[in-house]
Amino acid sequence: MARTSTHSAHAPKAIGPYSQAIWAGDLLYCSGQTPIDPAVGTLIDGNVEAQTQRCFDNLQAVVESAGLTMDDVIKCNVYLIDMADFPHMNTAYGTRFSEPYPARTTVAVAALPLGARVEIELVAKRP
């Protein structure tokens, strides 16, 4: 199966050897996004709720650059450095989707790139 990448200038550039997103058939696999402001290339200030919103702003830019919407998202993986942040992440997360909500996994990790408190990756599907 051929893989093709997609890229949005409205999301942070990759900070390593990976693509912002890859098409595999009708599935769009988006790399994890941290709360980097693409205009300046640094992490935003703010609590985990604000950081979650920035992650989704970045992901939405990539999804839309591929011709999809957030309604096409079928799976999210959320990485937190502290599970005490879960309720605040969950509040922000709930503003980004409508029912039926995508499947989701949330796990705690020891650390994230650049000191982020949250990172989110997702999979979307062509309608």
Side-chain angles (χ1 to χ4, degrees), residues 4-5 7-8 15 18 26 42 47 53 68-69 97 102 115 117:
T4 57
S5 66
H7 172 80
S8 172
I15 58 174
Y18 61 89
D26 286 339
T42 59
N47 60 23
Q53 293 290 1
L68 302 178
T69 72
F97 296 105
R117 298 195 61 77

Side-chain angles (χ1 to χ4, degrees), residues 18-80:
Y18 61 89
S19 299
Q20 286 179 339
I22 290 286
W23 279 108
D26 286 339
L27 296 176
L28 180 69
Y29 292 86
C30 292
S31 293
Q33 288 285 335
T34 55
I36 294 174
D37 180 343
V40 294
T42 59
L43 287 177
I44 65 162
D45 290 330
N47 60 23
V48 75
E49 200 166 331
Q51 288 197 3
T52 299
Q53 293 290 1
R54 180 75 253 176
C55 291
F56 276 120
D57 291 345
N58 295 342
L59 286 163
Q60 185 170 342
V62 175
V63 166
E64 289 177 352
S65 75
L68 302 178
T69 72
M70 295 301 278
D71 288 337
D72 298 313
V73 174
I74 58 174
K75 175 72 166 100
C76 288
N77 292 330
V78 178
Y79 306 95
L80 295 171

